[in-house]
């Protein structure tokens, strides 16, 4: 089968690899029809992780089941399914608690497994023609009759829509509250979309790219251009100096300051400063234990100069971590089906699998107009 494989820093290629196949009775094989390039893929693309050469990328996956193992009961050949990026067994302590992003079975020795991702187990990604799905009955989200025509919406259930929703959940957002979202990448935009669906009174979105800020405005948010103002001061000026009720960090360890310099503490300190006393903060941007590629000594060790004094003095709460996709994906699927959520609004490019290497280059450079890339392996 054709697949997008990692060939080294800033080097991916489309190559022939062995077909995905049933390896255990509980597996299914899915023909990929839509798979996305995620901002998290760029960590590996840039060589900032331990991802091995030759592995298949891609953890935002949707397609049609073509084969099931003898131990699969619920999922049938021909079903349209979306796969959560985090792989769960369904029976370990964490999965039983709904914490499927921290499965204790699928990646022995640590908590959490995923498709085509560094340190998240041996599972190949879905930027390919076929994908093996472990524990298929548990991991496959069955899609309704409009799956094929709405697959550009439903594929967002694999990661960015639940992750954006998770950011607002971690922050504790309630209807009628205000929230500031740092980062207008795909996850930040989905956090804004989620906040609007939840009935937030005002949603501020901070970024430094015109196309992303335009999309935030289209979603009903108030764009804050950090190139032209201090985002904290701007948000405080709109909230009587108090700050927002909630804050969401949707960038992660490669965030930059107002001058475009990488500074891993910038967004965290900013969200503390722009969130009111006793407010809640949700952090879904990826922060990692080690970052050897960083220029800053603290950042190399996965640490930062965090303004803990201000955080403590304001009595705020911070909750962090990757989304447990299965905690949200069924309800979010139903919002898409009835037209109350349309996450495909942020898609800028729909490309063939062969176009992936060029797409990675443009997306990595944050080139104008490259907001969300969807690949079509079956095209």
């Amino acid at each position: 089968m054709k697949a997008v494989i990692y060939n080294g820093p800033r080097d991916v290629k489309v190559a022939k690899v062995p077909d995905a196949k049933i390896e255990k009775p509980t597996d299914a094989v899915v023909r990929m029809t839509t798979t996305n390039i995620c901002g998290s893929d760029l960590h590996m693309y840039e060589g900032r992780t331990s991802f091995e050469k030759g592995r298949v990328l891609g953890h935002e996956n949707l397609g049609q089941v073509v084969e099931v193992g003898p131990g699969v009961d619920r999922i049938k050949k021909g079903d349209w399914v979306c796969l959560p990026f985090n792989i769960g067994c369904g029976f370990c302590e964490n999965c039983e608690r709904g914490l499927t992003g921290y499965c204790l079975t699928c990646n022995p020795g640590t908590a959490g497994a995923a498709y085509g991702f560094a340190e998240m187990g041996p599972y190949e990604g879905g930027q390919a023609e076929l994908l093996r799905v472990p524990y298929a009955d548990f991991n496959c989200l069955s899609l309704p009759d409009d799956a094929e025509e709405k697959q550009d919406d439903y594929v967002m259930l694999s990661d960015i829509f639940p992750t954006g929703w998770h950011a607002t959940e971690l922050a504790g957002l309630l209807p009628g509250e205000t929230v500031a979202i740092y980062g207008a990448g795909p996850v930040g935009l989905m956090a804004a979309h989620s906040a609007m669906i939840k009935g937030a009174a005002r949603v501020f979105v901070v970024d430094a790219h015109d196309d992303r800020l335009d999309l935030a405005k289209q979603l009903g948010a108030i764009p804050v251009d950090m190139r032209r103002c201090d985002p904290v001061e701007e948000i405080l000026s709109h909230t009587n100096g108090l700050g927002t009720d909630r804050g969401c960090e949707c960038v992660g360890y490669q965030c930059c300051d107002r001058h475009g310099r990488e500074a891993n503490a910038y967004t965290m300190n900013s969200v503390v400063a722009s969130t009111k006393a006793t407010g809640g903060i949700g952090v879904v941007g990826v922060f990692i234990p080690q970052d050897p590629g960083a220029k800053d000594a603290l950042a190399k060790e996965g640490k930062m100069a965090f303004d803990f004094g201000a955080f403590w003095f304001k009595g705020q709460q911070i909750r962090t971590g990757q989304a447990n996709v299965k905690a949200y994906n069924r309800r979010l699927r139903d919002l898409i089906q009835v037209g109350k959520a349309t996450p495909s609004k942020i898609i800028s490019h729909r490309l063939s699998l062969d176009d992936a290497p060029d797409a990675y280059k443009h997306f990595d450079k944050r080139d104008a107009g490259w907001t969300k890339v969807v690949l079509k392996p079956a095209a």
Side-chain angles (χ1 to χ4, degrees):
M1 65 178 185
K2 285 199 300 187
V4 179
I5 65 169
Y6 177 69
N7 200 42
R10 289 186 166 85
D11 182 6
V12 301
K13 65 179 182 179
V14 178
K16 288 285 188 177
V17 300
D19 285 352
K21 62 182 181 180
I22 301 293
E23 297 180 17
K24 294 183 178 180
T26 49
D27 289 350
V29 173
V30 178
R31 177 178 63 91
M32 290 288 97
T33 60
T34 304
T35 178
N36 306 339
I37 298 177
C38 178
S40 296
D41 290 328
L42 298 181
H43 304 318
M44 292 170 287
Y45 176 73
E46 294 170 3
R48 298 282 287 266
T49 71
S50 60
F51 199 59
E52 302 93 342
K53 291 182 180 180
R55 288 193 59 191
V56 181
L57 291 154
H59 60 270
E60 298 186 14
N61 305 313
L62 177 148
Q64 196 168 23
V65 177
V66 293
E67 186 180 2
V68 297
V72 177
D73 294 322
R74 181 177 66 90
I75 298 302
K76 308 298 181 188
K77 183 178 178 180
D79 288 354
W80 284 88
V81 295
C82 183
L83 295 318
F85 77 89
N86 30 41
I87 303 168
C89 66
F91 52 78
C92 74
E93 178 183 357
N94 284 349
C95 283
E96 286 189 345
R97 294 167 59 206
L99 304 175
T100 55
Y102 300 89
C103 177
L104 299 171
T105 303
C106 293
N107 190 11
T110 189
Y115 301 99
F117 210 91
E119 307 291 337
M120 299 294 277
Y123 309 97
E124 298 295 358
Q127 289 172 14
E129 293 177 311
L130 298 169
L131 177 69
R132 172 194 167 227
V133 179
Y135 301 108
D137 276 333
F138 183 69
N139 287 300
C140 290
L141 175 69
S142 296
L143 299 175
D145 292 340
D146 60 356
E148 188 169 8
E149 65 183 271
K150 283 189 175 180
Q151 59 185 294
D152 286 353
D153 285 304
Y154 288 126
V155 71
M156 304 305 176
L157 296 169
S158 59
D159 182 355
I160 63 168
F161 191 15
T163 297
W165 192 277
H166 187 55
T168 67
E169 289 285 304
L170 292 176
L173 180 67
L174 297 173
E177 291 188 326
T178 55
V179 59
I181 297 165
Y182 284 81
V187 168
L189 291 171
M190 287 298 96
H193 194 32
S194 300
M196 297 303 297
I197 292 170
K198 286 184 169 188
R202 284 182 296 172
V203 180
F204 301 92
V205 176
V206 179
D207 205 280
H209 295 84
D210 293 332
D211 51 354
R212 296 180 175 193
L213 291 168
D214 287 344
L215 281 171
K217 187 174 182 179
Q218 292 175 33
L219 293 171
I222 300 167
V224 178
D225 189 341
M226 59 185 285
R227 297 166 300 181
R228 297 177 171 85
C229 67
D230 182 309
V232 172
E233 292 180 0
E234 182 72 7
I235 291 166
L236 292 176
S237 72
H238 284 279
T239 54
N240 298 317
L242 299 175
T244 55
D245 298 292
R246 312 289 170 180
C248 297
E249 201 288 340
C250 299
V251 186
Y253 72 105
Q254 288 181 270
C255 65
C256 295
D257 62 19
R258 289 184 59 203
H259 306 289
R261 297 182 298 239
E262 192 170 302
N264 71 340
Y266 180 77
T267 48
M268 288 298 299
N269 287 335
S270 295
V271 75
V272 166
S274 67
T275 302
K276 73 177 186 181
T278 75
I281 296 169
V283 181
V284 296
V286 174
F287 289 88
I288 57 177
Q290 297 92 27
D291 179 18
K295 296 179 180 178
D296 175 82
L298 278 177
K300 287 180 185 293
E301 299 179 3
K303 301 173 183 177
M304 67 171 68
F306 178 58
D307 194 352
F308 190 83
F311 166 67
W312 185 93
F313 195 76
K314 295 176 80 171
Q316 296 169 336
Q317 298 181 51
I318 290 181
R319 298 174 65 198
T320 72
Q322 64 172 274
N324 303 295
V325 171
K326 283 179 61 66
Y328 310 116
N329 63 358
R330 290 176 183 267
R331 286 177 290 143
L332 300 185
R333 173 197 63 189
D334 296 344
L335 287 174
I336 290 171
Q337 186 180 19
V338 299
K340 292 188 176 181
T342 52
S344 64
K345 286 180 179 179
I346 71 167
I347 294 174
S348 59
H349 294 77
R350 295 169 175 85
L351 304 171
S352 72
L353 202 64
D354 290 329
D355 294 322
D358 190 55
Y360 264 95
K361 290 178 183 177
H362 286 291
F363 192 45
D364 182 55
K365 292 178 181 177
R366 298 353 181 230
D367 284 344
W370 289 77
T371 52
K372 184 63 177 176
V373 178
V374 171
L375 301 174
K376 300 289 186 177

